[in-house]
Amino acid sequence: MMVTDYNYTFFYPSKAVGGAQILFSRIAEMLIHEGNRVTILGPSSSYINLYLSERGLHYDSYEVSTTSPYHTNEDSFFILSLSYILLFHKYIKPDSNVKLFFWDLHPYAVLENLSFSKFYKLTDRNIWINVLKLIERSFIVKMSTLLERGHQKGGIHFMCYRNFKINKDFFSLDFEPSYIPLPIEVAPIATAFKSNFRDICWMSRLDNDKTPILQLLMEDVIEYNNHYNEKLRLHIIGDGNDRVSIETIAKKYDSIFILVGTIKNDCLLSFFVKENILLGFGMGTSSLEFASRGIASVLVPSSTESIFYKNKVRRYMYLKDVKGYDVAVEKFHYEEGILLAFPNIIDTFSSNKMNESLHYVSSAHHKDKVFHLLRNKINNNTLTFGDIYSTGVLKINFFQKLKEIVKKINGKKYG
């Protein structure tokens, strides 16, 4: 248990349901249960506000805007997504000694703050990319200084190796990262799975950033069924704005693809048992949800790598085989030669893979272990707003201002 004099303050105003929203909500819930003061900044309809309110938890809440920012107290301690490292100070007016704790939950969390981030995400091996980096070299140097200083003072932490690697390569960072992996609830499991193996499962949003990866998996299932006597069925859990494109494919193979829709967390295990799901394919939190229920968990390519993996045969790996807490197959995994083709995954499956997935997630991602790690890192953090301000990174350049104007025109309120 960690009870301190701090007022732990969160600013993650998103109304959507996603991994980051759930994560910050659970951290706030943990701190409240331990007797700490917690303040949530943002609209009352934000996911984190609704999550805490529905559970009857006591906390403070303030709506903020650029014209009505939150003024901090000396005891404020901010827990923030690294993607808000520049944005937060427009909604928060912090004292120079206020402590800040950043968690990098997205590979492009920092890169998005650069003027030409859209181009940097496409490639890093292009003469024009070097020209763009030269144009905003001053800001890149400042951001690099901030990341180095934040790490030294215990205020910047990464979810996984992939997130760190992108920043390391772009900003030429020279330190070993501090990791705080995604936490997951792992409960004792007593299930009655049948030994025969036919049904596999996908679990993720069916939005247009995810469905290209699902379509690769569907292609692999079709190809496998065309060449092997043992026919597979793929159960697809999830919903989203690109569901129709998946339904169109599924209708052509209706005995192979079964669209399930969304399933509540507390109903997942009973569904897996009922359908005898022994093997699950996913990325992010979904991959951990499979493993935490004793399902052999296989990672699929990251949503940002669909083009790279479209024509690759080897594009899967078991969750248990990752290093650095990654929760998706990345480009560097292919270069390391550690990936498997779909038939290899199916042919090497055994009940041992289920046990190994559960063991991995219990040792690396168990909620209690991750929250214990988080507490220790919070206690050791000395990063302050003054440290960030002194790097000069909060003084944005002309191109960044132009980018902000475009975002406002497109109606994007927070960043």
Side-chain angles (χ1 to χ4, degrees), residues 22-294:
I22 294 171
L23 179 58
F24 282 118
S25 298
R26 287 175 176 171
I27 295 170
E29 181 182 23
M30 174 199 73
L31 291 169
I32 293 169
H33 280 313
E34 293 184 345
N36 294 286
R37 289 179 295 151
V38 167
T39 295
I40 307 301
L41 306 182
S44 58
S45 56
S46 69
Y47 179 87
I48 188 168
N49 263 314
L50 294 176
Y51 179 98
L52 299 176
S53 297
E54 287 171 359
R55 287 157 178 76
L57 299 171
H58 176 73
Y59 67 98
D60 293 321
S61 179
Y62 295 93
E63 296 223 12
V64 293
S65 66
T66 54
T67 55
S68 181
Y70 177 75
H71 291 269
T72 64
N73 301 313
E74 290 183 0
D75 59 0
S76 295
F77 188 115
F78 285 89
I79 299 177
L80 303 167
S81 167
L82 192 60
S83 58
Y84 286 176
I85 197 162
L86 298 188
L87 181 71
F88 80 93
H89 83 288
K90 295 178 182 179
Y91 298 88
I92 300 163
K93 296 303 175 188
D95 179 86
S96 63
N97 294 320
V98 163
K99 289 187 176 180
L100 300 165
F101 186 92
F102 292 98
W103 198 347
D104 183 5
L105 301 171
H106 191 278
Y108 298 115
V110 181
L111 221 59
E112 280 288 358
N113 292 286
L114 275 63
S115 306
F116 309 112
S117 59
K118 182 176 181 179
F119 302 101
Y120 298 146
K121 288 188 289 184
L122 294 175
T123 180
D124 59 354
R125 298 171 184 173
N126 185 303
I127 187 171
W128 294 111
I129 293 299
N130 292 331
V131 170
L132 294 177
K133 290 171 78 171
L134 186 62
I135 291 173
E136 57 178 336
R137 182 177 181 278
S138 174
F139 182 79
I140 291 173
V141 170
K142 291 174 184 176
M143 183 60 78
S144 177
T145 301
L146 170 54
L147 293 173
E148 296 271 0
R149 186 174 299 174
H151 170 75
Q152 291 167 5
K153 290 179 170 284
I156 290 181
H157 309 273
F158 295 87
M159 180 189 86
C160 61
Y161 174 69
R162 192 253 179 143
N163 288 14
F164 173 69
K165 185 178 188 302
I166 285 177
N167 290 288
K168 177 185 178 182
D169 293 347
F170 189 90
F171 295 103
S172 302
L173 302 179
D174 186 26
F175 59 81
E176 290 298 316
S178 167
Y179 290 122
I180 304 177
L182 285 174
I184 196 78
E185 188 85 48
V186 181
I189 295 174
T191 59
F193 290 105
K194 300 169 188 173
S195 58
N196 60 307
F197 170 54
R198 181 188 177 191
D199 294 88
I200 62 177
C201 189
W202 158 281
M203 184 162 56
S204 189
R205 290 181 287 106
L206 300 187
D207 289 339
N208 52 22
D209 62 327
K210 304 281 188 180
T211 51
I213 302 300
L214 172 55
Q215 289 175 26
L216 294 181
L217 177 61
M218 295 170 81
E219 290 171 10
D220 283 334
V221 172
I222 294 167
E223 184 73 11
Y224 185 90
N225 284 356
N226 286 340
H227 288 86
Y228 293 87
N229 292 328
E230 189 68 29
K231 307 303 181 186
L232 300 173
R233 289 186 303 195
L234 175 64
H235 299 257
I236 299 170
I237 299 176
D239 205 347
N241 60 30
D242 200 30
R243 179 188 174 98
V244 173
S245 71
I246 300 303
E247 286 178 334
T248 301
I249 299 171
K251 284 176 183 176
K252 298 176 184 177
Y253 305 91
D254 62 17
S255 61
I256 299 177
F257 304 119
I258 304 166
L259 272 72
V260 180
T262 56
I263 298 179
K264 290 184 177 179
N265 251 21
D266 55 1
C267 299
L268 276 174
L269 183 58
S270 60
F271 172 80
F272 293 151
V273 173
K274 176 175 175 288
E275 301 297 339
N276 201 46
I277 305 292
L278 308 181
L279 186 64
F281 292 77
M283 67 182 87
T285 306
S286 295
S287 65
L288 304 182
E289 296 286 3
F290 282 126
S292 69
R293 290 165 176 81

Side-chain angles (χ1 to χ4, degrees), residues 382-394:
T382 61
L383 180 67
T384 66
F385 177 71
D387 293 322
I388 294 178
Y389 186 82
S390 65
T391 65
V393 78
L394 298 180

Side-chain angles (χ1 to χ4, degrees), residues 390-406:
S390 65
T391 65
V393 78
L394 298 180
K395 297 176 182 177
I396 64 175
N397 60 41
F398 167 78
F399 295 103
Q400 288 168 303
K401 290 178 182 177
L402 190 61
K403 186 177 177 181
E404 284 188 353
I405 292 171
V406 172

